[in-house]
Amino acid sequence: MLSTVDLTVFYGTLVHTRSLKDLEIITNGVLIVDNSTGKIVRLDRNVDDVDNLLAELKLGDTKVHRLGPYEFLLPGFVDTHAHAPQYVFTGSGMNLQLLEWLETYVFPAESGFKSIEHAEKAYTKVVSRFLRNGTTTCSWFATIHLEACKKLVDVIERLGQRGYVGKVNMDQNSPDHYCETTEASLADTRAFIEYTLSKGSLVTPVVTPRFAITCSTPLMTGLGELAREYDVPIQSHLCENEDEIAFTGKLFPDSKHYTAVYDDHGLLQPKTYMAHCVHMTDEEIDMLAERQVGISHCANSNFSLHSGVCDVRRFLARDMKVGLGTDVAGGFAPSMLDAIRSSFFASKTNRIWHRSSGNKDYSHLETAELLYLATLGGARVLGLDDAIGNFEVGKAFDALWVDLEHPDSSVDLIGPETHLQKLEKFLYNGNDQCLQHVYVQGKRVAGSAVTPFPKFI
Ligand code: GUN
Ligand code: FE
């Protein structure tokens, strides 16, 4: 039985996906959130008279948040791959390829995170920016430094994001100033997992070998065992760049291919997800599919570091778990709207290539698919599809209240636009000012509205 005491009621247009191709636009929707749990407790479609419905539910006194004609709710965005410390040098080094870029920009910048003060300042900025851009859940790489990693967890908790956080592991092929011993790397990872789990917050620890090149055999094996022991996810990079793939092959000559390197070290588990996967043989894809590994598609990064153009249709055709990642700062944009747009271009590029080589049936990612990948698809990659990703009853209310007519909105409505066109204008032209409220687990955590709901402050 619902009671008025601690509920929030939204009335208006709701847009979400139920599967890859199933975009649902709910008009005159009534969505009720239980503020004590932050979960959706009721969803009604096509309600002409919300007051009448609430009266029938004996909730007549509950305040209703009515969305205007240019407003709608979307599920919060899920970024499946980003490097929190790399935000400090966004846009730098885009003339370089992966391995040179890591050496020249990434390792020196990440090394600076041994300073907790620097870490706190940078992490507060980056997490705040992601929230303002509507990223309610993010899977972060931090650095090798235990204390700074804990700080990232604290910052995410304070700012209210749902976070997956990894202490990065590197015990070889790394500069002296930014390298660990195998023993310290494993011990600090255990300490980090325990610290994060003990908080009981919305933050989950993730075992995070940077990539095979910087991880020895004993380190990778030990990390796979740690992930099993604590039943936590694993994230890493896979088949991003041709030089990286060749170097990995040299370092691990006993493994059949790059994907098998991780498999041979026990790292391909059902909770594992890998960023990029641009240059994959069918055999490698089959191996990922068999192991139920998820994929983070980072299109901006793949263009910016000229790594290649990933064809996610190869994974989607096998019903594999696929989400989008910004890969800040390999990708220069801290925004899932950009990830959607970059993925659209990657997909169009694939379509051009396929069609010019005679495959007339190849289709690019359409609106429903892009929204799915940015929300429910990402949730599935992180094993959160029972908890977030759309507006199903029982899920947490992680949501974006979009207002296309905010004074600083970058969207122009000239009319008449269908609901689908309003969604598309937001996805392709929208900015952070269109997000007047950003909610995680029912709590307002960001937004452009001048006056946030008193309830949520
Ligand atoms: N591979 C190993 N480390 C990294 C990183 O920091 N960014 C990207 N894009 N690829 C990597
Ligand atoms: Fe990355």
Side-chain angles (χ1 to χ4, degrees):
M1 184 65 190
L2 300 174
S3 83
T4 58
V5 186
D6 208 16
L7 297 174
T8 305
V9 179
F10 298 91
Y11 179 53
T13 304
L14 284 68
V15 182
H16 69 167
T17 63
R18 292 183 290 200
S19 64
L20 181 64
K21 302 231 180 223
D22 182 8
L23 175 76
E24 187 187 23
I25 296 175
I26 300 169
T27 50
N28 296 327
V30 177
L31 184 146
I32 305 182
V33 177
D34 178 341
N35 296 330
S36 65
T37 61
K39 289 188 179 173
I40 301 164
V41 288
R42 193 180 165 110
L43 173 61
D44 292 82
R45 294 161 169 83
N46 304 314
V47 176
D48 289 331
D49 187 340
V50 61
D51 298 319
N52 196 28
L53 173 75
L54 292 177
E56 277 173 21
L57 295 171
K58 305 211 174 0
L59 298 173
D61 299 337
T62 318
K63 180 169 163 32
V64 177
H65 297 298
R66 291 167 201 263
L67 284 82
Y70 304 113
E71 301 178 345
F72 53 89
L73 293 182
L74 275 183
F77 291 133
V78 179
D79 185 341
T80 53
H81 185 83
H83 297 260
Q86 295 178 17
Y87 188 56
V88 302
F89 63 89
T90 312
S92 302
M94 306 265 97
N95 55 321
L96 300 178
Q97 293 223 19
L98 176 64
L99 297 180
E100 296 76 38
W101 173 77
L102 286 173
E103 243 181 79
T104 314
Y105 290 93
V106 175
F107 295 160
E110 290 193 7
S111 177
F113 281 69
K114 56 182 165 296
S115 156
I116 299 294
E117 295 72 36
H118 178 62
E120 178 157 28
K121 183 176 168 201
Y123 288 157
T124 301
K125 291 261 187 213
V126 69
V127 177
S128 303
R129 177 62 61 191
F130 273 54
L131 281 172
R132 282 169 63 172
N133 286 337
T135 302
T136 50
T137 298
C138 186
S139 184
W140 298 103
F141 278 52
T143 62
I144 65 173
H145 315 99
L146 175 59
E147 293 310 316
C149 290
K150 290 184 188 168
K151 184 57 77 181
L152 177 56
V153 172
D154 297 347
V155 166
I156 291 170
E157 192 180 8
R158 173 164 55 82
L159 296 174
Q161 195 182 45
R162 192 183 300 279
Y164 275 40
V165 180
K167 183 214 122 27
V168 170
N169 305 99
M170 310 163 60
D171 71 342
Q172 64 174 26
N173 292 312
S174 311
D176 291 344
H177 62 87
Y178 193 48
C179 190
E180 319 162 277
T181 64
T182 312
E183 297 67 37
S185 189
L186 289 170
D188 286 355
T189 302
R190 181 183 291 280
F192 176 73
I193 293 171
E194 295 207 339
Y195 175 80
T196 307
L197 290 177
S198 75
K199 301 208 102 188
S201 66
L202 296 178
V203 188
T204 301
V206 187
V207 167
T208 306
R210 168 161 232 126
F211 61 166
I213 290 174
T214 60
C215 299
S216 67
T217 282
L219 178 57
M220 284 196 277
T221 310
L223 291 174
E225 284 164 6
L226 271 179
R228 281 218 169 76
E229 181 183 336
Y230 289 95
D231 191 25
V232 294
I234 297 172
Q235 61 180 348
S236 192
H237 297 91
L238 174 61
C239 291
E240 177 177 2
N241 162 291
E242 280 163 350
D243 292 346
E244 170 217 18
I245 295 168
F247 189 23
T248 306
K250 279 209 187 93
L251 288 171
F252 300 95
D254 296 337
S255 293
K256 215 170 164 191
H257 41 62
Y258 191 168
T259 305
V261 173
Y262 291 134
D263 195 46
D264 293 343
H265 291 88
L267 288 167
L268 299 188
Q269 303 179 12
K271 287 190 178 181
T272 302
Y273 46 100
M274 289 285 165
H276 305 296
C277 302
V278 179
H279 308 279
M280 302 278 288
T281 63
D282 286 341
E283 195 182 321
E284 288 181 280
I285 295 179
D286 288 342
M287 181 177 264
L288 289 188
E290 249 168 57
R291 304 283 187 270
Q292 301 169 57
V293 171
I295 289 131
S296 174
H297 174 44
C298 304
N300 183 320
S301 171
N302 297 156
F303 283 122
S304 297
L305 296 175
H306 28 110
S307 302
V309 185
C310 182
D311 183 358
V312 287
R313 286 262 178 247
R314 298 174 78 198
F315 310 121
L316 295 173
R318 290 166 163 87
D319 193 30
M320 294 169 71
K321 298 178 271 188
V322 183
L324 306 185
T326 57
D327 194 24
V328 161
F332 55 75
S335 161
M336 288 296 289
L337 285 174
D338 172 88
I340 286 171
R341 297 165 194 168
S342 301
S343 302
F344 172 74
F345 278 129
S347 171
K348 280 282 184 182
T349 308
N350 274 298
R351 177 178 159 150
I352 290 164
W353 288 342
H354 272 270
R355 296 216 170 185
S356 67
S357 60
N359 179 3
K360 295 275 179 272
D361 296 332
Y362 189 91
S363 59
H364 62 272
L365 293 172
E366 53 196 53
T367 302
E369 295 174 301
L370 290 163
L371 182 64
Y372 167 85
L373 292 173
T375 55
L376 188 56
R380 196 172 159 226
V381 167
L382 302 182
L384 289 173
D385 44 324
D386 285 339
I388 55 162
N390 62 12
F391 296 128
E392 264 175 46
V393 171
K395 288 191 176 184
F397 186 65
D398 285 19
L400 313 176
W401 178 321
V402 179
D403 174 12
L404 298 177
E405 291 220 310
H406 183 280
D408 295 316
S409 164
S410 55
V411 173
D412 288 308
L413 293 159
I414 296 130
E417 288 90 3
T418 63
H419 289 296
L420 178 62
Q421 287 175 317
K422 287 179 205 161
L423 169 69
E424 290 173 332
K425 281 198 170 183
F426 171 64
L427 296 181
Y428 287 94
N429 287 349
N431 61 359
D432 61 349
Q433 296 304 299
C434 299
L435 299 179
Q436 60 170 334
H437 307 289
V438 177
Y439 306 95
V440 175
Q441 195 92 28
K443 188 167 160 255
R444 185 185 192 274
V445 294
S448 61
V450 181
T451 319
F453 300 143
K455 242 182 193 167
F456 291 105
I457 298 176

